[in-house]
Amino acid sequence: MANQVEHELTSELLPHLQKERYVTLATVDFEKKSPNVNAISWVYAPTNKKLRFAIDNRSRIITNIKEEPGVVLTIIANGSTYSVSGKAKVKSEKMDSVPLKLSLIEVDVEEVRDVMFYGAKIVQNPEYDKTYDAEAAAKLDRQVMEALKTYNKE
C-alpha cells in the first residue's frame, strides 16, 4: 500500500483494528493549537469506514476533539506503519456498561496511508503488559471491547 491513499480501512488492516492493541492517537491541542499524541489500546473498527475508541472521560483528548475533530491514529501491522485520519466525535460521554468513567469516541475514516519509510519493514509488533491486577485488567478489557463492538446509539 506504499504511496497509495485509501479512503477506508483495507481488508488486510481491518482485522488488526478489531481487537485491543497499541495505537497512537494524534489530536490538536485545544490551548496550544499544536499536535498532541497519546497511546491508547481500546480501539475497535466496526466497519471499514468507522473506528471507535474508549478513553477516560476526563482526558484532555475529549476537549481537543470537541474543539478540532480531525484526528490521526497510527497503527503498526502487517510489517508496516499506517496512518488513519478522519473526523472524530464524542458519541457517549459515559459508557454505562463499563465500571470506569470512559467516553466512547467514533471516527469517520477519511484516509489510510502506509507511512513506513522506504526500504524497511517492521519485524516485531509492539507488545505491552498491564501493570495492575491481571484478572481485573482482563475483565475490564472484555467489558470495554464489548461496549465498543455493540454501541449503536445515535
Side-chain angles (χ1 to χ4, degrees), residues 41-92:
S41 64
W42 290 320
V43 178
Y44 180 74
T47 70
N48 291 54
K49 296 291 288 174
K50 298 267 186 208
L51 276 172
R52 295 179 186 147
F53 59 89
I55 54 170
D56 186 303
N57 68 5
R58 298 162 296 179
S59 172
R60 187 174 189 90
I61 295 168
I62 302 290
T63 308
N64 290 350
I65 287 171
K66 286 179 178 179
E67 291 289 321
E68 171 51 60
V71 300
V72 176
L73 289 99
T74 304
I75 178 172
I76 296 171
N78 301 329
S80 197
T81 304
Y82 298 89
S83 169
V84 180
S85 61
K87 298 286 187 242
K89 182 186 288 184
V90 178
K91 296 298 272 187
S92 177

Side-chain angles (χ1 to χ4, degrees), residues 25-43:
L25 169 69
T27 60
V28 176
D29 187 276
F30 73 96
E31 289 179 320
K32 299 176 185 172
K33 305 297 182 209
S34 60
N36 183 333
V37 178
N38 292 272
I40 61 174
S41 64
W42 290 320
V43 178

